[in-house]
Amino acid sequence: MQEKKSCSCLTRRQFLLGTGGATATIILTGFLGSSEGKTVVLQTTRYPRKKIARLSDFKQDNPILFRYPHDHYNCTNILIKLGAPAEDGVGPDRDVVAFNTLCTHMGGPLMGAYQNDHKVLGPCSFHLSMFDLTKRGIITTGSATQSLPQIMLEVKGDEIHAVGVMGLIFGFSDNMQIADRQGGGR
């Protein structure tokens, strides 16, 4: 008969569970320790400021197409007065928003797919993804896994200006760099 040998060795699981908190503390302390007592400056990409429309000329549920931040097909966007408050909406009723018109899944076109009864953009003609425009373009159905890139807007008097992009535009690795592509600037 074989005797059972007792082993005081830790399993990988026991080691990770037992030291995970200490390891995380050491790593975080290393990162945070260098900025203690100092102001940390967030670096952001500088987007151009572009006049898009006038509030007084703008009608509810009547989308306006524009290109931003570049004159490139992938930078085609839609400006909409929803008639319902939206997250990051501008204007007196906080209901004016703008989003890129390419599905984040595979770049399917969403132009002309605005459904005013539900305030969504879609379905995408490729895989039926739909995006809620009142909630920062979050995916509501379909194959997409990311929200639509939202164009950040600012209102000065009666003018609506595009001032930035929240999210990555389909086909770009950086919204501010244009690579020469076949079909660019269509």
Side-chain angles (χ1 to χ4, degrees):
M1 229 187 211
Q2 284 188 338
E3 288 182 33
K4 269 190 169 178
K5 294 182 182 179
S6 67
C7 180
S8 61
C9 299
L10 289 176
T11 66
R12 264 188 311 197
R13 180 180 177 85
Q14 291 169 328
F15 175 78
L16 292 173
L17 288 173
T19 62
T23 305
T25 303
I26 291 168
I27 291 170
L28 287 175
T29 304
F31 285 126
L32 298 176
S34 63
S35 64
E36 234 176 86
K38 299 176 187 173
T39 303
V40 178
V41 178
L42 176 65
Q43 294 182 349
T44 59
T45 303
R46 184 101 175 119
Y47 285 92
R49 181 182 179 82
K50 181 178 180 180
K51 180 182 168 192
I52 306 301
R54 293 184 164 284
L55 276 173
S56 58
D57 297 337
F58 204 35
K59 297 190 182 1
Q60 182 178 322
D61 295 323
N62 189 15
I64 296 173
L65 292 177
F66 67 98
R67 288 194 176 164
Y68 180 84
H70 309 286
D71 186 20
H72 186 279
Y73 175 78
N74 288 27
C75 297
T76 303
N77 307 295
I78 190 169
L79 177 71
I80 303 171
K81 180 174 176 55
L82 298 171
E87 293 180 34
D88 294 322
V90 298
D93 300 323
R94 309 208 39 85
D95 64 344
V96 177
V97 292
F99 291 91
N100 186 262
T101 60
L102 293 182
C103 179
T104 56
H105 178 233
M106 291 184 70
L110 296 168
M111 293 174 283
Y114 172 62
Q115 296 184 31
N116 62 352
D117 51 341
H118 298 292
K119 309 303 179 199
V120 297
L121 199 54
C124 171
S125 58
F126 289 1
H127 300 101
L128 306 177
S129 293
M130 295 177 71
F131 303 88
D132 186 341
L133 302 184
T134 64
K135 295 186 174 126
R136 292 189 182 106
I138 192 169
I139 178 76
T140 60
T141 186
S143 300
T145 58
Q146 296 177 8
S147 298
L148 281 177
Q150 185 169 7
I151 309 304
M152 302 313 298
L153 302 173
E154 204 174 81
V155 175
K156 292 284 185 179
D158 192 40
E159 296 180 344
I160 303 169
H161 295 266
V163 295
V165 181
M166 186 175 14
L168 188 61
I169 295 170
F170 183 85
F172 292 103
S173 59
D174 179 345
N175 291 341
M176 291 307 295
Q177 290 183 341
I178 289 271
D180 290 326
R181 294 186 174 98
Q182 187 176 17
R186 284 190 260 181

